[in-house]
């Protein structure tokens, strides 16, 4: 027996690195639980995007990330402002917390409360909405526009916070969600330049001119022309167009240098952050793009830019002298001219159309007014763009995960193939029954260490919730493909249930079940005496797990979070998924179950496991009951019954497959000519009188019985 212990120890040492480096599901942190109350588990992103994926059971419900990992907006102090942000699968910010900053105005002046109060306003914001921060203009009533109060004396800091939150959240949305844009396909050409006239710039589409007469504006806004009169600038003549805007994207040298002149262009570019885009907007119509009370340095309420239905966070560059600057080209005698900036970190793609929009305030009566939106599309010409080599289309997330875990999948598949061979050819292999104990020991160690700790292949009743609710709400196989090991195991187990019943999983694939058996092996080595459970009590207790299953599944249809909490009756998350790195009540519960299994063989599996109960229900429809039984089994011979630690062999000799874990020990005994009474009798059946045969007990379940003496009177075999 020493060599078996040596093999066991060597396997542990060999597989120890896998345990240490195991990539597993993580227990939901306090920060994640605060933002995602429905979260039941989380894990790090499987690709290079630095986010944590949040799940309720196997369903992704959001993403948690730190802005410093995704953006780099220097604040007033020169350092970034780091926040933790939670984004749900609909593109809505559902929670934020401030992690760190060095803004002097908050550290040594106003205190952090105004900053925290400002950040809290973003909770519940959709990335499809436009945010206007600290605007003193008349507020526009619109579902697409929201107003957040700024912080007096801290305008720069709060705008940095705004850009940081929106850019980081949009990056995650573009990478993980649909409808929020794709990878950037082009960038500005800031080098190419040649002198151009105003007509050449306009004809080439490098300047965008948007003009709407009163009639055109009324038609676009869906109102009568008369309603536009009160919105017009009274100083403008009646012949002036209602909207007359000129827009120029200044970053390309071909546009910026020709419009501003080389010196002014360089000054403006030097004032921008590396990721900023500058837009010059001039107006000479009857309805300007900013109101008379517009505050320099803030976000315009009337004028907006959007791309792919997402707003670009415009901010006035506060360059007052532009109103009086002598431009390189005589564009027009603008009534108003401003330069606005926004960051391309939000996913702006200059090759895609830009929606140029105006929100017009129309007076209904002396008490009421309404705001109507009109827009036009502008696409930059290729002359000012440089194509970005498009990356290969990303593989679906589930496929990337399968590729990353290919080695694990192959190892598990090889084990399942061998296991299938053992069960299919169990009667032929029974002649090698002396090897069952070492083979089973290796299998238990492999299932515990590799499938359990490393590959995180512990099936759970929670997976049954997921399947039933998925079928109920609309089945989507991609939810299950996100964890390839669980998918492979569940597919295999489901098929095996109809072949051999629950025993194949419970005896050969369940990591916690394997842990219990290993504890029982140690207990046997230490000669710990087994606690005998009476037949009456045993027969009552085995139905307890079915009641637990019924309660859990029923609860899942009414309150999933409660059902997930109640599923802690399974110690799997504590013992296998988290490898006992959890708060002490959970660890104590799992350890106690293992200690009980040292006295009562696989006590949890026999009496409490709702997963085993669910598998047993389906396993009733199995095709095969292959474990060999003989007419002598139960009367007079009860050797297999005494050796069955799970207590699945009845006194009359038949096997209860609803409880059997198919350890194959009884098959080994029946096939062993030296241990099976019927085999011994078969060799001497020509004798007139059969001699009594004494059989030694082989495990702790039969430790009380010093010998079993039987007289065999006949020999028959049951299939």
């Amino acid at each position: 027996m020493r060599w078996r212990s040596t093999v066991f120890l060597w396997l542990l040492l060999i597989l120890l690195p896998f345990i240490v480096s195991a990539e597993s599901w993580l227990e939901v942190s306090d920060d994640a639980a605060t933002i995602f109350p429905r979260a039941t588990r989380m894990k790090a992103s499987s690709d290079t995007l630095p986010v944590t994926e949040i799940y309720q059971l196997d369903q992704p419900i959001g993403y948690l990330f730190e802005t410093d990992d995704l953006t780099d907006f220097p604040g007033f102090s020169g350092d970034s402002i780091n926040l933790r942000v939670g984004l749900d699968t609909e593109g809505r910010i559902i929670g934020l917390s401030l992690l760190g900053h060095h803004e002097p105005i908050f550290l040594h002046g106003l205190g952090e409360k105004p900053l925290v109060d400002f950040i809290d306003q973003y909770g519940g914001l959709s990335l499809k909405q436009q945010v206007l921060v600290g605007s003193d203009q008349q507020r526009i009533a619109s579902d697409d526009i929201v107003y957040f109060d700024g912080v007096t004396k801290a305008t720069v800091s709060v705008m940095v916070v705004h850009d940081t939150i929106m850019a980081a959240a949009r990056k995650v949305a573009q990478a993980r969600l649909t409808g929020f844009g794709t990878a950037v396909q082009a960038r500005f050409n800031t080098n190419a330049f040649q002198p151009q006239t105003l007509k050449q710039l306009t004809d080439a589409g490098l300047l965008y001119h948007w003009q709407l007469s009163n009639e055109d504006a009324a038609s676009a806004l869906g109102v009568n022309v008369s309603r536009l009169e009160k919105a017009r600038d009274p100083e403008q003549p009646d012949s002036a167009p209602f909207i007359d805007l000129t827009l120029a994207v200044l970053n390309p040298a071909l546009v910026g240098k020709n419009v501003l002149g080389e010196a002014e262009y360089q000054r403006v570019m030097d004032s921008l952050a590396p990721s900023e885009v500058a837009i010059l907007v001039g107006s000479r119509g009857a309805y300007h793009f900013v109101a008379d009370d517009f505050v320099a340095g803030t976000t315009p309420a009337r004028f907006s830019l959007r791309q792919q239905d997402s707003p670009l966070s415009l901010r006035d560059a506060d360059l007052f002298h532009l109103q009086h600057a002598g431009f390189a080209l005589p564009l027009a005698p603008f009534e108003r001219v401003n330069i606005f900036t926004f960051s391309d970190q939000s996913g702006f793609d200059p090759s895609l159309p830009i929606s140029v929009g105006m929100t017009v305030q129309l007076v209904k009566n002396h008490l009421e007014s309404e705001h109507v939106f009109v827009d036009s599309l502008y696409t930059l010409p290729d002359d000012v763009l440089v194509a970005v080599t498009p990356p290969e289309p990303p593989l679906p997330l589930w496929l990337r995960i399968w590729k990353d875990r290919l080695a694990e999948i192959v190892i598990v598949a090889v084990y399942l193939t061998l296991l299938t061979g053992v069960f299919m050819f169990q009667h032929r292999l029974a002649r090698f029954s002396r090897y069952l104990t070492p083979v089973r020991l290796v299998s238990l160690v492999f299932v515990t260490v590799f499938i359990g700790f490393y590959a995180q292949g512990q099936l759970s009743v929670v997976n049954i919730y997921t399947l039933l609710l998925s079928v109920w709400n609309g089945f989507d196989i991609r939810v299950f493909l996100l964890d390839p090991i669980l998918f492979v195991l569940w597919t295999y187990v489901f098929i095996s249930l109809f072949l051999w019943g629950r025993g194949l999983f419970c005896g050969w694939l369940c990591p916690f079940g394997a842990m219990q058996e290993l504890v029982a092996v140690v207990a046997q080595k230490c000669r710990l005496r087994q606690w005998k459970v009476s037949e009456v009590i045993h027969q009552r207790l085995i139905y307890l797990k079915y009641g637990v299953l019924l309660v859990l599944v029923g609860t899942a249809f009414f309150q999933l979070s409660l059902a997930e909490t109640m599923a802690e009756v399974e110690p799997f998350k504590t013992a296998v998924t988290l490898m006992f790195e959890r708060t002490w009540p959970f660890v104590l519960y799992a350890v106690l179950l293992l200690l009980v299994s040292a006295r009562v063989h696989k006590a949890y599996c026999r009496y409490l496991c709702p997963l085993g109960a669910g598998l047993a229900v389906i396993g009733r429809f199995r095709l095969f009951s292959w474990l060999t039984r003989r007419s002598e089994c139960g009367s007079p011979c009860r050797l297999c019954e005494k050796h069955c630690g799970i207590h699945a062999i009845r006194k009359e000799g038949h096997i209860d497959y609803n409880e059997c874990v198919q350890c194959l020990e009884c098959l080994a005994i029946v096939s062993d000519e030296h241990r099976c009474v019927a085999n011994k009798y078969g060799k001497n059946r020509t004798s007139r009188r059969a001699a009594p045969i004494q059989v030694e007990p082989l495990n702790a379940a039969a430790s009380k019985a010093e010998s079993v003496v039987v007289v065999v009177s006949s020999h028959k075999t049951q299939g």
Side-chain angles (χ1 to χ4, degrees):
M1 296 299 293
R2 180 176 296 178
W3 71 271
R4 297 177 183 174
S5 302
T6 303
V7 170
F8 177 74
L9 291 175
W10 271 108
L11 282 171
L12 283 179
L13 289 174
I14 292 171
L15 295 174
L16 185 60
F18 293 101
I19 303 175
V20 175
S21 62
E23 176 186 69
S24 62
W25 290 99
L26 304 174
E27 186 176 10
V28 178
S29 65
D30 292 339
D31 293 328
T34 300
I35 296 176
F36 298 93
R38 297 188 295 119
T40 58
R41 56 181 179 171
M42 64 185 195
K43 67 177 180 179
S45 173
S46 58
D47 56 18
T48 58
L49 191 69
V51 302
T52 300
E53 300 169 356
I54 309 297
Y55 288 78
Q56 182 181 35
L57 304 183
D58 291 330
Q59 181 69 38
I61 60 174
Y63 307 92
L64 193 66
F65 52 91
E66 293 186 17
T67 55
D68 268 2
D69 295 332
L70 295 160
T71 60
D72 182 21
F73 290 98
F76 192 82
S77 66
D79 292 329
S80 63
I81 300 173
N82 192 25
L83 302 104
R84 179 179 289 112
V85 182
L87 185 72
D88 70 11
T89 53
E90 300 298 323
R92 188 176 298 275
I93 297 172
I94 61 172
L96 306 95
S97 61
L98 179 64
L99 298 181
H101 73 97
H102 297 88
E103 298 302 283
I105 188 66
F106 296 113
L107 291 176
H108 309 296
L110 301 175
E112 286 194 344
K113 186 178 185 306
L115 178 58
V116 173
D117 291 342
F118 173 76
I119 292 170
D120 289 343
Q121 296 178 97
Y122 287 82
L125 176 73
S126 170
L127 297 183
K128 298 291 187 180
Q129 294 176 298
Q130 180 183 359
V131 178
L132 300 179
V133 178
S135 176
D136 294 327
Q137 307 166 66
Q138 183 175 4
R139 299 199 168 188
I140 298 171
S142 171
D143 293 336
D144 295 328
I145 301 176
V146 294
Y147 293 84
F148 290 162
D149 295 329
V151 180
T152 305
K153 300 180 181 179
T155 303
V156 173
S157 296
V158 298
M159 293 308 297
V160 170
V161 169
H162 170 76
D163 290 347
T164 298
I165 294 172
M166 300 305 293
R170 191 161 287 123
K171 277 188 177 181
V172 175
Q174 289 173 338
R176 288 289 185 268
L177 308 176
T178 58
F180 291 91
T182 56
V184 174
Q185 302 175 36
R187 58 180 176 82
F188 292 122
N189 186 341
T190 58
N191 298 318
F193 171 75
Q194 59 181 358
Q196 298 250 338
T197 65
L198 176 61
K199 184 177 186 308
Q200 288 174 319
L201 289 175
T202 304
D203 291 344
L206 299 173
L207 294 181
Y208 177 63
H209 186 212
W210 183 26
Q211 186 179 90
L212 291 177
S213 65
N214 277 359
E215 292 74 15
D216 293 337
S219 176
L221 295 170
V223 298
N224 295 325
V225 174
S226 59
R227 292 195 60 191
L228 300 181
E229 293 300 324
K230 293 183 179 180
R232 292 176 60 91
D233 184 348
E235 297 183 2
Q236 294 291 326
D238 294 340
S239 60
F242 185 74
I243 293 177
D244 193 347
L245 298 180
T246 297
L247 182 146
V249 180
L250 298 176
N251 293 64
L254 185 60
V255 179
K257 285 185 180 181
N258 278 312
V259 172
L260 301 178
E262 185 169 356
E264 185 66 11
Y265 169 77
Q266 195 60 49
R267 190 191 69 80
V268 171
M269 291 299 104
D270 290 343
S271 69
L272 300 179
S275 61
E276 282 189 314
V277 178
I279 306 286
L280 183 143
V281 183
S283 173
R284 58 176 176 263
Y287 191 82
H288 296 304
F289 60 91
V290 291
D292 293 336
D293 59 353
F294 176 72
V295 178
T298 63
T299 300
R302 291 182 178 179
F303 180 75
S304 64
L305 297 178
R306 303 177 72 90
Q307 191 173 73
Q308 295 183 309
D309 295 329
S310 296
L312 302 175
S313 300
L314 294 179
R315 187 193 312 174
D316 177 46
D318 198 11
L319 300 173
F320 295 102
H321 66 282
L322 280 176
Q323 298 184 36
H324 310 289
F327 295 114
L329 291 176
L331 295 179
F334 291 125
E335 296 293 329
R336 293 297 303 259
V337 59
N338 287 76
I339 289 182
F340 298 108
T341 63
F342 61 88
S343 174
D344 65 6
Q345 292 191 49
S346 60
F348 172 72
D349 188 341
S351 68
L352 298 178
I354 304 170
S355 171
V356 182
M358 287 283 287
T359 301
V360 181
Q361 181 181 1
L362 300 175
V363 177
K364 299 177 69 174
N365 52 54
H366 65 285
L367 294 177
E368 294 182 285
S369 63
E370 65 175 336
H371 296 87
V372 186
F373 181 77
V374 61
D375 67 343
S376 178
L377 290 180
Y378 170 48
T379 302
L380 283 163
D382 294 337
D383 296 348
V384 294
L385 303 178
V386 176
V388 173
T389 302
E392 294 184 5
L395 295 172
L397 177 59
W398 69 267
L399 188 54
R400 296 201 303 270
I401 295 174
W402 279 67
K403 290 183 66 176
D404 291 341
R405 304 187 68 181
L406 182 60
E408 300 170 41
I409 297 170
V410 170
I411 293 173
V412 171
V414 169
Y415 175 74
L416 295 180
T417 302
L418 294 174
L419 190 59
T420 303
V422 168
F423 270 70
M424 290 185 64
F425 303 103
Q426 56 183 269
H427 295 96
R428 294 185 182 182
L429 296 175
R431 69 183 68 177
F432 306 104
S433 60
R434 62 186 178 277
Y435 298 112
L436 175 62
T437 299
V439 168
R440 183 147 180 80
L441 183 62
V442 171
S443 173
L444 294 175
V445 173
F446 175 81
V447 170
T448 301
V449 176
F450 186 84
I451 292 183
F453 293 152
Y454 181 69
Q456 291 293 286
Q458 173 68 69
L459 305 189
S460 167
V461 70
V462 172
N463 305 132
I464 297 180
Y465 298 170
T466 307
L467 177 61
L468 294 178
L469 290 174
S470 179
V471 173
W472 182 269
N473 298 321
F475 184 77
D476 185 354
I477 195 172
R478 291 174 297 179
V479 174
F480 303 94
L481 289 172
L482 290 175
D483 195 320
I485 299 301
L486 291 183
F487 182 83
V488 170
L489 289 175
W490 265 119
T491 303
Y492 181 84
V493 169
F494 183 75
I495 295 173
S496 70
L497 287 174
F498 295 99
L499 298 176
W500 299 289
R502 66 167 279 200
L504 186 144
F505 169 76
C506 295
W508 297 85
L509 283 174
C510 178
F512 190 76
M515 291 171 67
Q516 291 180 89
E517 288 204 46
L518 290 174
V519 169
V521 171
V522 174
Q524 185 177 1
K525 295 291 184 183
C526 297
R527 300 184 181 278
L528 290 180
R529 188 173 181 179
Q530 295 285 289
W531 293 337
K532 179 68 175 179
V533 181
S534 70
E535 181 67 20
V536 174
I537 296 177
H538 171 74
Q539 289 299 324
R540 293 177 180 176
L541 287 179
I542 59 176
Y543 293 103
L544 179 61
K545 58 181 176 285
Y546 295 97
V548 174
L549 173 67
L550 186 62
V551 171
L552 292 178
V553 173
T555 305
F557 282 91
F558 296 98
Q559 191 172 351
L560 189 57
S561 298
L562 177 60
E564 170 67 15
T565 302
M566 294 171 63
E568 291 292 351
V569 69
E570 291 183 329
F572 304 159
K573 183 188 293 184
T574 300
V576 180
T577 305
L578 300 176
M579 292 182 282
F580 296 99
E581 292 186 10
R582 209 175 183 193
T583 53
W584 70 266
F586 296 101
V587 174
L588 179 62
Y589 173 66
V591 170
L592 285 177
L593 288 177
L594 290 174
L595 291 177
V596 170
S597 68
R599 294 285 192 174
V600 180
H601 190 73
K602 300 189 77 166
Y604 172 79
C605 300
R606 292 160 70 178
Y607 305 127
L608 276 179
C609 183
L611 176 62
L615 299 181
V617 171
I618 302 177
R620 292 175 181 271
F621 302 100
R622 68 189 180 279
L623 294 176
F624 306 115
S625 300
W626 279 358
L627 294 174
T628 302
R629 296 281 83 200
R630 301 185 185 278
S631 59
E632 294 85 0
C633 295
S635 177
C637 181
R638 296 175 60 187
L639 182 59
C640 293
E641 177 196 342
K642 296 296 183 181
H643 280 76
C644 183
I646 204 72
H647 206 168
I649 300 180
R650 299 288 177 255
K651 289 183 178 180
E652 58 272 21
H654 76 269
I655 295 174
D656 183 356
Y657 281 89
N658 295 324
E659 301 299 317
C660 176
V661 297
Q662 302 211 31
C663 64
L664 304 182
E665 180 67 25
C666 60
L667 179 63
I669 293 174
V670 169
S671 305
D672 192 334
E673 62 182 16
H674 300 294
R675 298 167 66 190
C676 179
V677 171
N679 283 337
K680 280 195 172 186
Y681 174 72
K683 287 188 175 182
N684 300 290
R685 60 183 180 273
T686 56
S687 302
R688 293 184 178 180
R689 182 178 179 181
I693 299 174
Q694 180 170 301
V695 181
E696 295 295 333
L698 296 178
N699 69 0
S703 61
K704 286 186 175 182
E706 295 183 357
S707 63
V708 180
V709 180
V710 297
V711 176
V712 180
S713 58
S714 62
H715 175 67
K716 297 179 181 178
T717 301
Q718 292 181 346

